[in-house]
Amino acid sequence: MDRSSPQHGLTELCVDGTPVVEIIEAEPGEEVRGYLRADGTAATVIFQEGTDSAELTKSYRDLLQALASDLADDGTAHQIKEVMLSAGQAHDEAVVVEHLVAVREAMSAEGLPQETTLGVLTSALHTQEAFAELAENVGPILLFLTTESFAEDSEGEAAQPEELAQVLSAARAAGHRTSFTYTVGADPLDEMRAWLLPLAEQTTVWPSLTILPAETPVDDSQHIAAPDERLDFFLEARSLLEQIFAPTELRPEPWRCYRGLWYREHAGEPLEGPYV
């Protein structure tokens, strides 16, 4: 384990001061190939960079088998309803399409029905041709567009919200569901509103609206709000976001977002689980 990690040297992990896990062994390395959320009904698989094309389906199938084995260990019946390919670091559109085809083949080989959602977290997909190819060879997908890592243009200018909205529109036209990621806290609220309004019009699944963390002085300097004003900022941001997405009638799924603004309640109404 990295010596700079907050967990380095600890013998147990605690929640609110109560020990919940004893650390027996910690090995160096950050590789995580996949994990489960939503009470075991949603699986995330990490983009298998560097894997030979001929081995892609097998690689993702092995990963799905390992996750299914984890589910079986708790003695409770689970059914995976969604598989999300996390490809935020991939930039080649054709390669992401190839991996999505392989994931769907792996899902079918593992007995997951065609109606099981296949999603992708990426900034690489953007053309009508790619979305049409996916519709034909994979079926409808759930696109989570990672706006923070969307490629700059040839002059180094960051993509504008209208461009990102066009990507979501192209995906919808091909029959796919659409959403996106956005980090709340880096921009003033008026800029956030201008950014998100065009995207909200093309969104069919509640987006991942993540609170900007403040784990180090460097991260803290990126916040638009001063530390003593931050709580008020996020409360105001939450209210504004509820207004922006009110016409869509979409509601948050708390388990999708690690640092979300909603957990048990949204716009004064309770949210149903799962929560993690």
Side-chain angles (χ1 to χ4, degrees):
M1 181 176 291
D2 191 323
R3 292 182 178 276
S4 64
S5 169
Q7 281 75 45
H8 179 75
L10 297 181
T11 59
E12 59 187 21
L13 297 180
C14 301
V15 175
D16 295 333
T18 301
V20 294
V21 174
E22 180 184 0
I23 300 176
I24 299 174
E25 182 179 3
E27 298 181 359
E30 299 180 354
E31 181 181 7
V32 176
R33 296 186 63 211
Y35 51 89
L36 295 163
R37 301 201 70 193
D39 290 341
T41 63
T44 295
V45 295
I46 308 302
F47 184 81
Q48 297 298 288
E49 186 175 8
T51 302
D52 186 84
S53 295
E55 298 294 322
L56 275 179
T57 299
K58 181 181 184 304
S59 178
Y60 286 116
R61 188 175 182 183
D62 289 346
L63 180 49
L64 290 174
Q65 288 175 350
L67 294 174
S69 177
D70 290 342
L71 285 175
D73 288 343
D74 67 5
T76 303
H78 298 270
Q79 181 181 359
I80 293 180
K81 299 178 180 178
E82 174 179 308
V83 177
M84 178 70 67
L85 175 64
S86 180
Q89 303 304 314
H91 302 294
D92 189 312
E93 184 176 56
V95 172
V96 172
V97 170
E98 179 184 32
H99 279 245
L100 283 168
V101 171
V103 174
R104 177 60 82 183
E105 291 176 347
M107 292 166 62
S108 297
E110 288 305 304
L112 296 179
Q114 183 65 25
E115 57 267 24
T116 303
T117 297
L118 171 57
V120 62
L121 187 71
T122 186
S123 62
L125 297 176
H126 60 279
T127 66
Q128 294 178 343
E129 292 77 12
F131 292 128
E133 181 179 353
L134 286 168
E136 180 178 357
N137 298 325
V138 175
I141 67 166
L142 169 56
L143 170 67
F144 261 86
L145 192 64
T146 54
T147 63
E148 298 89 346
S149 57
F150 202 86
E152 297 177 341
D153 63 22
S154 59
E155 299 180 356
E157 296 292 331
Q160 297 302 304
E162 292 77 14
E163 298 175 64
L164 303 179
Q166 289 175 5
V167 174
L168 297 179
S169 177
R172 289 185 67 184
H176 304 298
R177 290 189 292 160
T178 56
S179 196
F180 62 91
T181 67
Y182 178 83
T183 303
V184 180
D187 303 313
L189 294 179
D190 57 343
E191 291 185 16
M192 180 188 76
R193 181 179 184 277
W195 244 92
L196 297 188
L197 279 174
L199 300 181
E201 295 177 356
Q202 301 298 334
T203 299
T204 66
V205 173
W206 184 272
S208 178
L209 302 166
T210 303
I211 292 174
L212 181 66
E215 299 174 353
T216 70
V218 175
D219 287 334
D220 195 64
S221 68
Q222 298 173 358
H223 277 270
I224 194 65
D228 60 346
E229 300 173 348
R230 202 154 295 155
L231 177 59
D232 289 339
F233 173 88
F234 283 124
L235 290 173
E236 189 174 350
R238 185 169 68 178
S239 177
L240 178 57
L241 289 164
E242 291 173 353
Q243 296 173 29
I244 291 172
F245 287 95
T248 70
E249 298 186 355
L250 300 176
R251 291 169 62 80
E253 296 173 279
W255 64 268
R256 286 193 183 275
C257 193
Y258 288 106
R259 296 188 301 270
L261 285 163
W262 299 267
Y263 190 65
R264 298 280 180 174
E265 185 177 285
H266 169 261
E269 298 292 333
L271 284 174
E272 295 183 3
Y275 302 105
V276 293

